[in-house]
Structures are given as C-alpha cells and as structure tokens.
Amino acid sequence: MKIVVLAPLFTLMISMAFASEEKPETQILFKNVDIFNGLENKLFENHHVLVEGNIIKTISDKDIKVRDDATTIDGTGKTLTPGFIENHAHLMLMGPNLPAMEANMTWEDFAIHGSRMARMYLMQGFTTVRDAGGANGGLRRAIDSGEIVGPRYYPSGAFLGTRGGHADFANFSAPVGSETNFGRLNMAQEVDSVADVKKYGRNNFRMGATQLKYMQSGGVVSAFDPWQLLAGSPEEIKAAVAVADSYGSYVMAHSYRKEAILSALDAGVISIEHGFAFDCDIAKVMTEKGAYITTNLTAFDPGLLDIPAVKNVASSLAKAKSASETFKNYIPNMKKCPVKRGFQTDCVGSVDACNIQIAYEKHLNNAFFGPYESLKTLTSVGGEISKLTGDFTNPYPKAKLGVIETGAYADILLLDGNPLSDFSVVGTGDKWFGAEKRPESPETIKLIMKDGVIYKNTL
C-alpha cells in the first residue's frame, strides 16, 4: 500500500527535477549596436548580439529570434565592446604609504578597502582585474559568490621578494627574520633562497593565487631598494617559475632594467611588469617566448617629479630623476618594436585617488599610442594574459575574455559613441594630481555587464 502511495509522489519529484534542470538560460538581446570586437581596427555596424546565461550566443547583422521572455536593449548609436581588463592593480593597498600600512592597518582595513576598490573597478568598466600583489583568494570568493560587487579577479597572493628588495615592507628597524604585518596576512613575503621561493610560492597558490609575482627590480618611492637593483638569483627566479608551472600557471616579474627583463625572460617569466627599459632587443626575445608586458604610463607623465611622495623625499626624487632619464625611450621603442602590452594602472591609495588615476591612465594610453592600440590593450590582450593561468588554476576557464565573439563570456560595455574616433567615451580623465573627484561611473559608459549580469544600465 505504501508503494502505491509513494510511486506517484516519486514520479512527481523526478519530473520537477527535470523541469528545473531544463529551465532555459536568460536571454538578453542587444539590438542595433556597433561592435568593437577587441581585435580589429574597425566597428561592425548595426549588429545584434544575443546573450544566453553568461555566454555570447549569437552575433549577426540580421534580426535574431528570441523567446518572449527575453530582455531587449536598443543600442542605436552605441558601441558594444568587451569589458575592460586591468592587468596590474593592488586592490588591498590603500596607502597612504607602505610604513603606515605595515604599522597601523588591520585585516579589516585591508578587506574594507579591497571591497570598495572592487566595486569601483567594475563601475569604471573593468569586468576583469589581475591583482599584482597583496591579495589572496578571499576577495575573489566574495565577488564570485555575490557577497560583494566586483570584477572577475586574478590575485597573486603575497609579493615575493628579497630582503631589502621591493617587497620588503618591514619597518626600518626590523631585524632579519622578524614577523611583519604584511607577512602575517600573506600580503608580502621575504624570500632569500630557493627553498623560500618554493615554500611561499606554493603557499600563495594554497591561499588562492592564480599566478605568482616576483619583485626582481627595485622601485622609486620604496624605502630600501634602488630601482637599478637586480634582486634574486637566476636560480630563485627559476624556482618561482617551476612552482607556477606545477600549478599550470606563470610568473609575473617586477622588472625595470634591461638586464633584469632579459634575465627574467631567460628564467621563464612570461609577464614583464613595468619594463621601463624596454627596447627592440627585449622585443625580439619577448616575441620568441610569447611573453607579455604591462606598463603604467603615468611613469612617463611630465608631472611625475611633482608627486608629493617623490618630491618631498630626497632619495625618491633622486631615484625618479635618474629613472626618468634612463627610461625615456620606452614609448618610441614600443612603437618601433611593438609587443603584446596589457593595460596597467598600479595605483596604491584611496578609492577616489585610484579612480582618478585609472581615468588618467586611459587618457595617456590614447595620447601615446592612439585609440586602437589602447582598446586592444584594455581588452583582448588582457584576455590572453588571463588565459596564461591555465585550465586548472584559472577560475574562469570555460570561455574567452576580452573579445566579442560567439562563445565568449558575456562581459560587455555599451559606450555612448565610437571609441576609435573619440576615445574619451571609455571614461578618460586628462588630469592626475589635483583632479576633481570623479563620478562612480563614467556617464559615457551606458551599460556594464559582467558574466551575463547587468550592473549598470542608463538606457
């Protein structure tokens, strides 16, 4: 008797389960848009793009048939582009300087700042961010689970660097081997041997890193390191590459001097960060090895020497002057011998200050390289860099990023105009220090979609 009663109920449950599984993906149709696909120096005019779930399903210059429950967005006069990709950010580093963060900040301070930065980046049109040091996997988990709003996120875990190098954020009087705030939180780790590199590199992946960041050169505003520094032995850098290889991923290296860049490439580093001494010799090696470079173009801004953190510190001012003289040929060399270059801002500071710096970095890209190269830098090149994390370390492995094509992730912007003729529509700002506070999101970015979800729509 019980079997007779339960059988219809069991059948009903099974049918409900199948009905749930067969629920169709949400459809969003963009009509009458001009498309910049991330790759070509042209717009595909008056096209239609269908998004199903989180994937671009169909692109056509003909009408696309959709279901009755589909959402339709008329993009007449608008340009549909891939979401922008930031390849070198530090979402956890709020400033105002490294000593203050080392001595006075708690994990709550860093977490709150990181969550605010994540939202700011998304609302500036960046649907993907690669964090170049100082953040572990927790922020990505919060974003991907919907706890906070932000872009796709590729963190590097702790900076890896030598004592006295660019990842040494300890207080001036700290003895060798002493525990630091950055070390406790796995934001920066001192590595002075192959064994250290292996231990902390593996720990970074354990903590959610998608790639490793090695601090090979010194810096300008940091305390202990001349920018000319060649930190870490070839064996140590190769050890970082070996650890990354075992996770199917790669190493990005903070490298300034020509000798540093070539040494990093020889060790197997695939992403050169900053790379200010870039020249055609380096370009040849990078092309042979399939390597990438990301450079913060604010380093070539005429007002660099007036930045308070530089101007008011004698050692930093001296370093900045010598660096500027040495690196002055970067832009002509990049034009003469171009390689794959990703967009980089490298801001450490408040959310408002980084918002301004991002807009200015967009502006400088266009000023130095023009709209097409700048758009590629913001989109398809960043998508290729994201793929370097491999199939099992990449948190978003199922589709392409940085392009508008069938089967790619639905990370999409609608811009009010043609960015190939008026680059300002991507949300540029023509002033850095002293600029007024920027809005939460540029008015010219009319729609922001990440992973098939609309986060802004003013149409």
PDB file of all heavy atoms in Angstrom, residues 95-130:
ATOM      1  N   GLY A  95      47.273  52.662   1.088  1.00  0.00           N
ATOM      2  CA  GLY A  95      48.168  53.766   1.423  1.00  0.00           C
ATOM      3  C   GLY A  95      47.908  54.292   2.827  1.00  0.00           C
ATOM      4  O   GLY A  95      47.325  53.581   3.652  1.00  0.00           O
ATOM      5  N   PRO A  96      48.291  55.499   3.178  1.00  0.00           N
ATOM      6  CA  PRO A  96      48.894  56.492   2.272  1.00  0.00           C
ATOM      7  C   PRO A  96      50.322  56.163   1.877  1.00  0.00           C
ATOM      8  O   PRO A  96      50.874  56.745   0.943  1.00  0.00           O
ATOM      9  CB  PRO A  96      48.835  57.779   3.105  1.00  0.00           C
ATOM     10  CG  PRO A  96      48.915  57.292   4.526  1.00  0.00           C
ATOM     11  CD  PRO A  96      48.146  56.008   4.553  1.00  0.00           C
ATOM     12  N   ASN A  97      50.957  55.220   2.606  1.00  0.00           N
ATOM     13  CA  ASN A  97      52.310  54.794   2.260  1.00  0.00           C
ATOM     14  C   ASN A  97      52.537  53.410   2.857  1.00  0.00           C
ATOM     15  O   ASN A  97      51.724  52.911   3.650  1.00  0.00           O
ATOM     16  CB  ASN A  97      53.356  55.804   2.747  1.00  0.00           C
ATOM     17  CG  ASN A  97      53.188  56.132   4.220  1.00  0.00           C
ATOM     18  OD1 ASN A  97      53.170  55.243   5.071  1.00  0.00           O
ATOM     19  ND2 ASN A  97      53.061  57.414   4.531  1.00  0.00           N
ATOM     20  N   LEU A  98      53.635  52.786   2.479  1.00  0.00           N
ATOM     21  CA  LEU A  98      53.910  51.427   2.944  1.00  0.00           C
ATOM     22  C   LEU A  98      54.156  51.343   4.447  1.00  0.00           C
ATOM     23  O   LEU A  98      53.640  50.439   5.107  1.00  0.00           O
ATOM     24  CB  LEU A  98      55.095  50.850   2.164  1.00  0.00           C
ATOM     25  CG  LEU A  98      54.847  50.647   0.665  1.00  0.00           C
ATOM     26  CD1 LEU A  98      56.125  50.226  -0.034  1.00  0.00           C
ATOM     27  CD2 LEU A  98      53.745  49.627   0.424  1.00  0.00           C
ATOM     28  N   PRO A  99      54.938  52.259   5.049  1.00  0.00           N
ATOM     29  CA  PRO A  99      55.127  52.182   6.509  1.00  0.00           C
ATOM     30  C   PRO A  99      53.821  52.265   7.286  1.00  0.00           C
ATOM     31  O   PRO A  99      53.643  51.570   8.294  1.00  0.00           O
ATOM     32  CB  PRO A  99      56.046  53.373   6.808  1.00  0.00           C
ATOM     33  CG  PRO A  99      56.810  53.583   5.544  1.00  0.00           C
ATOM     34  CD  PRO A  99      55.833  53.283   4.451  1.00  0.00           C
ATOM     35  N   ALA A 100      52.882  53.091   6.831  1.00  0.00           N
ATOM     36  CA  ALA A 100      51.601  53.216   7.527  1.00  0.00           C
ATOM     37  C   ALA A 100      50.810  51.917   7.439  1.00  0.00           C
ATOM     38  O   ALA A 100      50.185  51.481   8.418  1.00  0.00           O
ATOM     39  CB  ALA A 100      50.787  54.367   6.939  1.00  0.00           C
ATOM     40  N   MET A 101      50.836  51.272   6.282  1.00  0.00           N
ATOM     41  CA  MET A 101      50.111  50.012   6.139  1.00  0.00           C
ATOM     42  C   MET A 101      50.756  48.906   6.966  1.00  0.00           C
ATOM     43  O   MET A 101      50.076  48.050   7.515  1.00  0.00           O
ATOM     44  CB  MET A 101      50.045  49.615   4.660  1.00  0.00           C
ATOM     45  CG  MET A 101      49.101  50.458   3.840  1.00  0.00           C
ATOM     46  SD  MET A 101      48.882  49.839   2.144  1.00  0.00           S
ATOM     47  CE  MET A 101      50.413  50.372   1.385  1.00  0.00           C
ATOM     48  N   GLU A 102      52.066  48.926   7.063  1.00  0.00           N
ATOM     49  CA  GLU A 102      52.762  47.918   7.846  1.00  0.00           C
ATOM     50  C   GLU A 102      52.504  48.088   9.338  1.00  0.00           C
ATOM     51  O   GLU A 102      52.309  47.117  10.073  1.00  0.00           O
ATOM     52  CB  GLU A 102      54.271  47.986   7.566  1.00  0.00           C
ATOM     53  CG  GLU A 102      55.138  47.124   8.474  1.00  0.00           C
ATOM     54  CD  GLU A 102      54.826  45.645   8.381  1.00  0.00           C
ATOM     55  OE1 GLU A 102      54.430  45.173   7.306  1.00  0.00           O
ATOM     56  OE2 GLU A 102      54.979  44.962   9.402  1.00  0.00           O
ATOM     57  N   ALA A 103      52.470  49.329   9.799  1.00  0.00           N
ATOM     58  CA  ALA A 103      52.422  49.574  11.242  1.00  0.00           C
ATOM     59  C   ALA A 103      51.016  49.751  11.788  1.00  0.00           C
ATOM     60  O   ALA A 103      50.765  49.428  12.960  1.00  0.00           O
ATOM     61  CB  ALA A 103      53.255  50.811  11.576  1.00  0.00           C
ATOM     62  N   ASN A 104      50.092  50.254  10.981  1.00  0.00           N
ATOM     63  CA  ASN A 104      48.834  50.740  11.545  1.00  0.00           C
ATOM     64  C   ASN A 104      47.568  50.085  11.014  1.00  0.00           C
ATOM     65  O   ASN A 104      46.471  50.442  11.458  1.00  0.00           O
ATOM     66  CB  ASN A 104      48.728  52.261  11.307  1.00  0.00           C
ATOM     67  CG  ASN A 104      49.867  53.035  11.924  1.00  0.00           C
ATOM     68  OD1 ASN A 104      50.341  52.686  13.003  1.00  0.00           O
ATOM     69  ND2 ASN A 104      50.317  54.085  11.242  1.00  0.00           N
ATOM     70  N   MET A 105      47.677  49.173  10.055  1.00  0.00           N
ATOM     71  CA  MET A 105      46.476  48.634   9.417  1.00  0.00           C
ATOM     72  C   MET A 105      46.184  47.215   9.893  1.00  0.00           C
ATOM     73  O   MET A 105      47.094  46.414  10.100  1.00  0.00           O
ATOM     74  CB  MET A 105      46.626  48.643   7.892  1.00  0.00           C
ATOM     75  CG  MET A 105      46.905  50.005   7.294  1.00  0.00           C
ATOM     76  SD  MET A 105      45.593  51.214   7.629  1.00  0.00           S
ATOM     77  CE  MET A 105      46.282  52.659   6.815  1.00  0.00           C
ATOM     78  N   THR A 106      44.902  46.905  10.042  1.00  0.00           N
ATOM     79  CA  THR A 106      44.462  45.554  10.387  1.00  0.00           C
ATOM     80  C   THR A 106      43.855  44.888   9.158  1.00  0.00           C
ATOM     81  O   THR A 106      43.629  45.525   8.126  1.00  0.00           O
ATOM     82  CB  THR A 106      43.411  45.584  11.497  1.00  0.00           C
ATOM     83  OG1 THR A 106      42.200  46.174  10.977  1.00  0.00           O
ATOM     84  CG2 THR A 106      43.884  46.405  12.690  1.00  0.00           C
ATOM     85  N   TRP A 107      43.560  43.583   9.296  1.00  0.00           N
ATOM     86  CA  TRP A 107      42.950  42.882   8.174  1.00  0.00           C
ATOM     87  C   TRP A 107      41.608  43.486   7.806  1.00  0.00           C
ATOM     88  O   TRP A 107      41.215  43.490   6.637  1.00  0.00           O
ATOM     89  CB  TRP A 107      42.816  41.395   8.480  1.00  0.00           C
ATOM     90  CG  TRP A 107      41.856  41.035   9.590  1.00  0.00           C
ATOM     91  CD1 TRP A 107      42.156  40.845  10.900  1.00  0.00           C
ATOM     92  CD2 TRP A 107      40.442  40.832   9.467  1.00  0.00           C
ATOM     93  NE1 TRP A 107      41.016  40.530  11.619  1.00  0.00           N
ATOM     94  CE2 TRP A 107      39.950  40.511  10.758  1.00  0.00           C
ATOM     95  CE3 TRP A 107      39.550  40.865   8.402  1.00  0.00           C
ATOM     96  CZ2 TRP A 107      38.601  40.253  11.002  1.00  0.00           C
ATOM     97  CZ3 TRP A 107      38.197  40.608   8.638  1.00  0.00           C
ATOM     98  CH2 TRP A 107      37.738  40.301   9.934  1.00  0.00           C
ATOM     99  N   GLU A 108      40.895  44.067   8.790  1.00  0.00           N
ATOM    100  CA  GLU A 108      39.606  44.700   8.486  1.00  0.00           C
ATOM    101  C   GLU A 108      39.796  45.902   7.561  1.00  0.00           C
ATOM    102  O   GLU A 108      39.015  46.120   6.631  1.00  0.00           O
ATOM    103  CB  GLU A 108      38.889  45.153   9.757  1.00  0.00           C
ATOM    104  CG  GLU A 108      38.452  44.029  10.687  1.00  0.00           C
ATOM    105  CD  GLU A 108      39.396  43.850  11.846  1.00  0.00           C
ATOM    106  OE1 GLU A 108      40.601  44.115  11.681  1.00  0.00           O
ATOM    107  OE2 GLU A 108      38.926  43.448  12.928  1.00  0.00           O
ATOM    108  N   ASP A 109      40.844  46.703   7.834  1.00  0.00           N
ATOM    109  CA  ASP A 109      41.112  47.870   6.992  1.00  0.00           C
ATOM    110  C   ASP A 109      41.361  47.452   5.546  1.00  0.00           C
ATOM    111  O   ASP A 109      40.807  48.046   4.610  1.00  0.00           O
ATOM    112  CB  ASP A 109      42.331  48.633   7.519  1.00  0.00           C
ATOM    113  CG  ASP A 109      42.139  49.182   8.921  1.00  0.00           C
ATOM    114  OD1 ASP A 109      41.097  49.820   9.163  1.00  0.00           O
ATOM    115  OD2 ASP A 109      43.028  48.977   9.758  1.00  0.00           O
ATOM    116  N   PHE A 110      42.207  46.447   5.378  1.00  0.00           N
ATOM    117  CA  PHE A 110      42.515  45.981   4.030  1.00  0.00           C
ATOM    118  C   PHE A 110      41.279  45.404   3.342  1.00  0.00           C
ATOM    119  O   PHE A 110      41.030  45.660   2.158  1.00  0.00           O
ATOM    120  CB  PHE A 110      43.621  44.924   4.083  1.00  0.00           C
ATOM    121  CG  PHE A 110      44.967  45.462   4.487  1.00  0.00           C
ATOM    122  CD1 PHE A 110      45.563  45.053   5.662  1.00  0.00           C
ATOM    123  CD2 PHE A 110      45.635  46.373   3.696  1.00  0.00           C
ATOM    124  CE1 PHE A 110      46.815  45.531   6.043  1.00  0.00           C
ATOM    125  CE2 PHE A 110      46.886  46.874   4.059  1.00  0.00           C
ATOM    126  CZ  PHE A 110      47.473  46.446   5.238  1.00  0.00           C
ATOM    127  N   ALA A 111      40.487  44.633   4.083  1.00  0.00           N
ATOM    128  CA  ALA A 111      39.318  43.984   3.481  1.00  0.00           C
ATOM    129  C   ALA A 111      38.277  45.004   3.037  1.00  0.00           C
ATOM    130  O   ALA A 111      37.702  44.893   1.949  1.00  0.00           O
ATOM    131  CB  ALA A 111      38.710  42.991   4.469  1.00  0.00           C
ATOM    132  N   ILE A 112      38.018  45.984   3.891  1.00  0.00           N
ATOM    133  CA  ILE A 112      37.027  47.007   3.533  1.00  0.00           C
ATOM    134  C   ILE A 112      37.493  47.791   2.315  1.00  0.00           C
ATOM    135  O   ILE A 112      36.723  48.042   1.372  1.00  0.00           O
ATOM    136  CB  ILE A 112      36.766  47.936   4.738  1.00  0.00           C
ATOM    137  CG1 ILE A 112      36.039  47.174   5.844  1.00  0.00           C
ATOM    138  CG2 ILE A 112      35.964  49.160   4.314  1.00  0.00           C
ATOM    139  CD1 ILE A 112      35.988  47.899   7.168  1.00  0.00           C
ATOM    140  N   HIS A 113      38.776  48.165   2.312  1.00  0.00           N
ATOM    141  CA  HIS A 113      39.300  48.901   1.157  1.00  0.00           C
ATOM    142  C   HIS A 113      39.210  48.053  -0.109  1.00  0.00           C
ATOM    143  O   HIS A 113      38.789  48.545  -1.171  1.00  0.00           O
ATOM    144  CB  HIS A 113      40.754  49.295   1.416  1.00  0.00           C
ATOM    145  CG  HIS A 113      41.397  50.011   0.272  1.00  0.00           C
ATOM    146  ND1 HIS A 113      41.125  51.323  -0.047  1.00  0.00           N
ATOM    147  CD2 HIS A 113      42.302  49.577  -0.657  1.00  0.00           C
ATOM    148  CE1 HIS A 113      41.827  51.681  -1.101  1.00  0.00           C
ATOM    149  NE2 HIS A 113      42.548  50.647  -1.494  1.00  0.00           N
ATOM    150  N   GLY A 114      39.587  46.780  -0.015  1.00  0.00           N
ATOM    151  CA  GLY A 114      39.540  45.903  -1.181  1.00  0.00           C
ATOM    152  C   GLY A 114      38.150  45.758  -1.752  1.00  0.00           C
ATOM    153  O   GLY A 114      37.960  45.753  -2.974  1.00  0.00           O
ATOM    154  N   SER A 115      37.148  45.658  -0.898  1.00  0.00           N
ATOM    155  CA  SER A 115      35.774  45.511  -1.377  1.00  0.00           C
ATOM    156  C   SER A 115      35.297  46.785  -2.068  1.00  0.00           C
ATOM    157  O   SER A 115      34.594  46.730  -3.081  1.00  0.00           O
ATOM    158  CB  SER A 115      34.840  45.132  -0.231  1.00  0.00           C
ATOM    159  OG  SER A 115      34.768  46.165   0.728  1.00  0.00           O
ATOM    160  N   ARG A 116      35.721  47.941  -1.550  1.00  0.00           N
ATOM    161  CA  ARG A 116      35.346  49.212  -2.194  1.00  0.00           C
ATOM    162  C   ARG A 116      36.063  49.374  -3.537  1.00  0.00           C
ATOM    163  O   ARG A 116      35.477  49.863  -4.514  1.00  0.00           O
ATOM    164  CB  ARG A 116      35.668  50.382  -1.272  1.00  0.00           C
ATOM    165  CG  ARG A 116      34.831  50.429   0.006  1.00  0.00           C
ATOM    166  CD  ARG A 116      35.122  51.699   0.803  1.00  0.00           C
ATOM    167  NE  ARG A 116      34.768  52.882   0.037  1.00  0.00           N
ATOM    168  CZ  ARG A 116      35.549  53.977  -0.058  1.00  0.00           C
ATOM    169  NH1 ARG A 116      36.725  54.010   0.553  1.00  0.00           N
ATOM    170  NH2 ARG A 116      35.162  55.015  -0.773  1.00  0.00           N
ATOM    171  N   MET A 117      37.318  48.974  -3.584  1.00  0.00           N
ATOM    172  CA  MET A 117      38.063  49.046  -4.843  1.00  0.00           C
ATOM    173  C   MET A 117      37.452  48.128  -5.894  1.00  0.00           C
ATOM    174  O   MET A 117      37.379  48.480  -7.083  1.00  0.00           O
ATOM    175  CB  MET A 117      39.522  48.666  -4.592  1.00  0.00           C
ATOM    176  CG  MET A 117      40.346  49.742  -3.902  1.00  0.00           C
ATOM    177  SD  MET A 117      40.777  51.122  -4.981  1.00  0.00           S
ATOM    178  CE  MET A 117      42.059  50.365  -5.989  1.00  0.00           C
ATOM    179  N   ALA A 118      37.008  46.955  -5.471  1.00  0.00           N
ATOM    180  CA  ALA A 118      36.407  46.009  -6.419  1.00  0.00           C
ATOM    181  C   ALA A 118      35.180  46.622  -7.081  1.00  0.00           C
ATOM    182  O   ALA A 118      35.005  46.541  -8.304  1.00  0.00           O
ATOM    183  CB  ALA A 118      36.046  44.714  -5.694  1.00  0.00           C
ATOM    184  N   ARG A 119      34.334  47.241  -6.274  1.00  0.00           N
ATOM    185  CA  ARG A 119      33.140  47.881  -6.837  1.00  0.00           C
ATOM    186  C   ARG A 119      33.519  49.039  -7.766  1.00  0.00           C
ATOM    187  O   ARG A 119      32.960  49.192  -8.851  1.00  0.00           O
ATOM    188  CB  ARG A 119      32.229  48.387  -5.724  1.00  0.00           C
ATOM    189  CG  ARG A 119      30.994  49.092  -6.266  1.00  0.00           C
ATOM    190  CD  ARG A 119      30.047  49.588  -5.188  1.00  0.00           C
ATOM    191  NE  ARG A 119      28.923  50.293  -5.779  1.00  0.00           N
ATOM    192  CZ  ARG A 119      27.833  49.711  -6.252  1.00  0.00           C
ATOM    193  NH1 ARG A 119      27.712  48.399  -6.179  1.00  0.00           N
ATOM    194  NH2 ARG A 119      26.864  50.414  -6.800  1.00  0.00           N
ATOM    195  N   MET A 120      34.485  49.853  -7.346  1.00  0.00           N
ATOM    196  CA  MET A 120      34.903  50.985  -8.167  1.00  0.00           C
ATOM    197  C   MET A 120      35.395  50.514  -9.526  1.00  0.00           C
ATOM    198  O   MET A 120      35.029  51.075 -10.570  1.00  0.00           O
ATOM    199  CB  MET A 120      35.986  51.778  -7.442  1.00  0.00           C
ATOM    200  CG  MET A 120      36.475  53.030  -8.202  1.00  0.00           C
ATOM    201  SD  MET A 120      37.808  52.718  -9.368  1.00  0.00           S
ATOM    202  CE  MET A 120      39.174  52.434  -8.230  1.00  0.00           C
ATOM    203  N   TYR A 121      36.226  49.471  -9.544  1.00  0.00           N
ATOM    204  CA  TYR A 121      36.761  48.990 -10.813  1.00  0.00           C
ATOM    205  C   TYR A 121      35.640  48.525 -11.746  1.00  0.00           C
ATOM    206  O   TYR A 121      35.632  48.846 -12.944  1.00  0.00           O
ATOM    207  CB  TYR A 121      37.759  47.852 -10.582  1.00  0.00           C
ATOM    208  CG  TYR A 121      39.196  48.302 -10.710  1.00  0.00           C
ATOM    209  CD1 TYR A 121      40.007  48.446  -9.592  1.00  0.00           C
ATOM    210  CD2 TYR A 121      39.741  48.595 -11.962  1.00  0.00           C
ATOM    211  CE1 TYR A 121      41.332  48.864  -9.718  1.00  0.00           C
ATOM    212  CE2 TYR A 121      41.049  49.007 -12.100  1.00  0.00           C
ATOM    213  CZ  TYR A 121      41.838  49.140 -10.977  1.00  0.00           C
ATOM    214  OH  TYR A 121      43.147  49.558 -11.113  1.00  0.00           O
ATOM    215  N   LEU A 122      34.687  47.786 -11.215  1.00  0.00           N
ATOM    216  CA  LEU A 122      33.595  47.309 -12.060  1.00  0.00           C
ATOM    217  C   LEU A 122      32.805  48.479 -12.627  1.00  0.00           C
ATOM    218  O   LEU A 122      32.465  48.495 -13.819  1.00  0.00           O
ATOM    219  CB  LEU A 122      32.674  46.380 -11.273  1.00  0.00           C
ATOM    220  CG  LEU A 122      31.512  45.778 -12.070  1.00  0.00           C
ATOM    221  CD1 LEU A 122      32.016  44.938 -13.240  1.00  0.00           C
ATOM    222  CD2 LEU A 122      30.613  44.944 -11.165  1.00  0.00           C
ATOM    223  N   MET A 123      32.539  49.479 -11.812  1.00  0.00           N
ATOM    224  CA  MET A 123      31.738  50.611 -12.269  1.00  0.00           C
ATOM    225  C   MET A 123      32.516  51.537 -13.211  1.00  0.00           C
ATOM    226  O   MET A 123      31.936  52.386 -13.874  1.00  0.00           O
ATOM    227  CB  MET A 123      31.196  51.392 -11.079  1.00  0.00           C
ATOM    228  CG  MET A 123      30.279  50.580 -10.166  1.00  0.00           C
ATOM    229  SD  MET A 123      28.989  49.656 -11.060  1.00  0.00           S
ATOM    230  CE  MET A 123      27.973  50.996 -11.669  1.00  0.00           C
ATOM    231  N   GLN A 124      33.823  51.375 -13.275  1.00  0.00           N
ATOM    232  CA  GLN A 124      34.625  52.085 -14.272  1.00  0.00           C
ATOM    233  C   GLN A 124      34.738  51.293 -15.569  1.00  0.00           C
ATOM    234  O   GLN A 124      35.462  51.691 -16.487  1.00  0.00           O
ATOM    235  CB  GLN A 124      36.016  52.374 -13.719  1.00  0.00           C
ATOM    236  CG  GLN A 124      36.034  53.365 -12.567  1.00  0.00           C
ATOM    237  CD  GLN A 124      35.442  54.709 -12.945  1.00  0.00           C
ATOM    238  OE1 GLN A 124      35.806  55.296 -13.959  1.00  0.00           O
ATOM    239  NE2 GLN A 124      34.516  55.206 -12.129  1.00  0.00           N
ATOM    240  N   GLY A 125      34.045  50.163 -15.650  1.00  0.00           N
ATOM    241  CA  GLY A 125      34.012  49.391 -16.880  1.00  0.00           C
ATOM    242  C   GLY A 125      34.959  48.214 -16.912  1.00  0.00           C
ATOM    243  O   GLY A 125      35.055  47.526 -17.934  1.00  0.00           O
ATOM    244  N   PHE A 126      35.647  47.925 -15.791  1.00  0.00           N
ATOM    245  CA  PHE A 126      36.587  46.813 -15.756  1.00  0.00           C
ATOM    246  C   PHE A 126      35.874  45.571 -15.227  1.00  0.00           C
ATOM    247  O   PHE A 126      35.545  45.487 -14.051  1.00  0.00           O
ATOM    248  CB  PHE A 126      37.795  47.154 -14.881  1.00  0.00           C
ATOM    249  CG  PHE A 126      38.703  48.189 -15.498  1.00  0.00           C
ATOM    250  CD1 PHE A 126      38.451  49.538 -15.320  1.00  0.00           C
ATOM    251  CD2 PHE A 126      39.777  47.803 -16.270  1.00  0.00           C
ATOM    252  CE1 PHE A 126      39.273  50.504 -15.899  1.00  0.00           C
ATOM    253  CE2 PHE A 126      40.603  48.745 -16.859  1.00  0.00           C
ATOM    254  CZ  PHE A 126      40.354  50.107 -16.675  1.00  0.00           C
ATOM    255  N   THR A 127      35.676  44.619 -16.099  1.00  0.00           N
ATOM    256  CA  THR A 127      34.999  43.382 -15.714  1.00  0.00           C
ATOM    257  C   THR A 127      35.989  42.295 -15.284  1.00  0.00           C
ATOM    258  O   THR A 127      35.581  41.249 -14.802  1.00  0.00           O
ATOM    259  CB  THR A 127      34.136  42.869 -16.872  1.00  0.00           C
ATOM    260  OG1 THR A 127      34.933  42.795 -18.066  1.00  0.00           O
ATOM    261  CG2 THR A 127      32.957  43.819 -17.113  1.00  0.00           C
ATOM    262  N   THR A 128      37.290  42.554 -15.467  1.00  0.00           N
ATOM    263  CA  THR A 128      38.338  41.646 -15.013  1.00  0.00           C
ATOM    264  C   THR A 128      39.502  42.457 -14.474  1.00  0.00           C
ATOM    265  O   THR A 128      39.894  43.461 -15.084  1.00  0.00           O
ATOM    266  CB  THR A 128      38.847  40.735 -16.155  1.00  0.00           C
ATOM    267  OG1 THR A 128      37.769  39.929 -16.630  1.00  0.00           O
ATOM    268  CG2 THR A 128      39.985  39.841 -15.699  1.00  0.00           C
ATOM    269  N   VAL A 129      40.064  42.015 -13.341  1.00  0.00           N
ATOM    270  CA  VAL A 129      41.239  42.661 -12.744  1.00  0.00           C
ATOM    271  C   VAL A 129      42.236  41.585 -12.345  1.00  0.00           C
ATOM    272  O   VAL A 129      41.883  40.611 -11.681  1.00  0.00           O
ATOM    273  CB  VAL A 129      40.860  43.501 -11.513  1.00  0.00           C
ATOM    274  CG1 VAL A 129      42.105  43.918 -10.727  1.00  0.00           C
ATOM    275  CG2 VAL A 129      40.070  44.744 -11.925  1.00  0.00           C
ATOM    276  N   ARG A 130      43.489  41.776 -12.748  1.00  0.00           N
ATOM    277  CA  ARG A 130      44.583  40.955 -12.232  1.00  0.00           C
ATOM    278  C   ARG A 130      45.282  41.759 -11.143  1.00  0.00           C
ATOM    279  O   ARG A 130      45.769  42.865 -11.383  1.00  0.00           O
ATOM    280  CB  ARG A 130      45.572  40.589 -13.347  1.00  0.00           C
ATOM    281  CG  ARG A 130      46.718  39.705 -12.864  1.00  0.00           C
ATOM    282  CD  ARG A 130      47.660  39.300 -13.977  1.00  0.00           C
ATOM    283  NE  ARG A 130      48.411  40.421 -14.526  1.00  0.00           N
ATOM    284  CZ  ARG A 130      49.541  40.307 -15.220  1.00  0.00           C
ATOM    285  NH1 ARG A 130      50.058  39.103 -15.454  1.00  0.00           N
ATOM    286  NH2 ARG A 130      50.159  41.362 -15.710  1.00  0.00           N
TER     287      ARG A 130
END
